[in-house]
Amino acid sequence: MKNFEVEEKKKGILKNKVVEYLKDNIEDFVINTPVDKSPNSILNVSFLNTRGEVILHYLEQDDIYISTTSACSSNKKTKTNLEKLNKDSNICDGSIRICFSYENTKEDIDFFLEKLTMRKRWD
């Protein structure tokens, strides 16, 4: 708790860096997280016409770990949170969850964004 405010601010800076980068450099994506009304530790985005699992496995090759499900999901038979919100299947299928930690560095985020930009390899 002693460092909570500093750590929370750092996560917010990293999260905003990702959001701004995506807005400036990627066309076919949707931000699902209400950025200003959500914890700084979570960002959910969808890449249209690409399955989230493909992105997950692509990034794993470089030891970058994301998720395609919410932290509270444990049963694949239930609807995802995006499906419960009646989001288009293209948005649901392309969804990834990015988590931020006070242990992440600017260099970690730069590396993640560099790999994400090389996404043509997903096809």
Side-chain angles (χ1 to χ4, degrees), residues 19-33:
V19 168
E20 291 307 313
Y21 181 89
L22 293 174
K23 287 179 179 178
D24 291 344
N25 295 284
I26 298 183
E27 294 177 16
D28 53 347
F29 84 102
V30 174
I31 297 174
N32 300 309
T33 303

Side-chain angles (χ1 to χ4, degrees), residues 10-25 35 43 100 105-114:
K10 179 180 178 183
K11 290 186 290 187
I13 290 168
L14 298 176
K15 178 179 176 180
N16 288 333
K17 179 178 176 69
V18 171
V19 168
E20 291 307 313
Y21 181 89
L22 293 174
K23 287 179 179 178
D24 291 344
N25 295 284
V35 177
L43 180 65
F100 301 91
T105 65
K106 178 188 175 298
E107 291 76 21
D108 292 334
I109 299 304
D110 289 341
F111 183 68
F112 165 70
L113 293 173
E114 175 188 333

Side-chain angles (χ1 to χ4, degrees), residues 45-121:
V45 297
S46 294
F47 294 90
L48 307 178
N49 305 311
T50 304
R51 296 192 53 79
E53 290 85 5
V54 172
I55 301 167
L56 179 141
H57 294 301
Y58 168 72
L59 293 172
E60 280 177 348
Q61 295 173 45
D62 290 299
D63 294 326
I64 300 171
Y65 301 100
I66 58 166
S67 180
T68 57
T69 61
S70 65
C72 60
S73 71
S74 62
N75 185 346
K76 294 285 185 188
K77 295 178 183 173
T78 61
K79 287 184 173 185
T80 66
N81 290 337
L82 293 174
E83 288 171 327
K84 290 175 186 175
L85 293 170
N86 295 317
K87 298 290 183 175
D88 181 86
S89 64
N90 199 15
I91 290 174
C92 296
D93 292 343
S95 172
I96 63 169
R97 178 172 50 93
I98 306 161
C99 295
F100 301 91
S101 165
Y102 68 91
E103 293 178 328
N104 292 129
T105 65
K106 178 188 175 298
E107 291 76 21
D108 292 334
I109 299 304
D110 289 341
F111 183 68
F112 165 70
L113 293 173
E114 175 188 333
K115 294 299 175 178
L116 203 55
T117 303
M118 299 168 73
R119 69 189 216 280
K120 290 302 175 194
R121 293 186 191 174

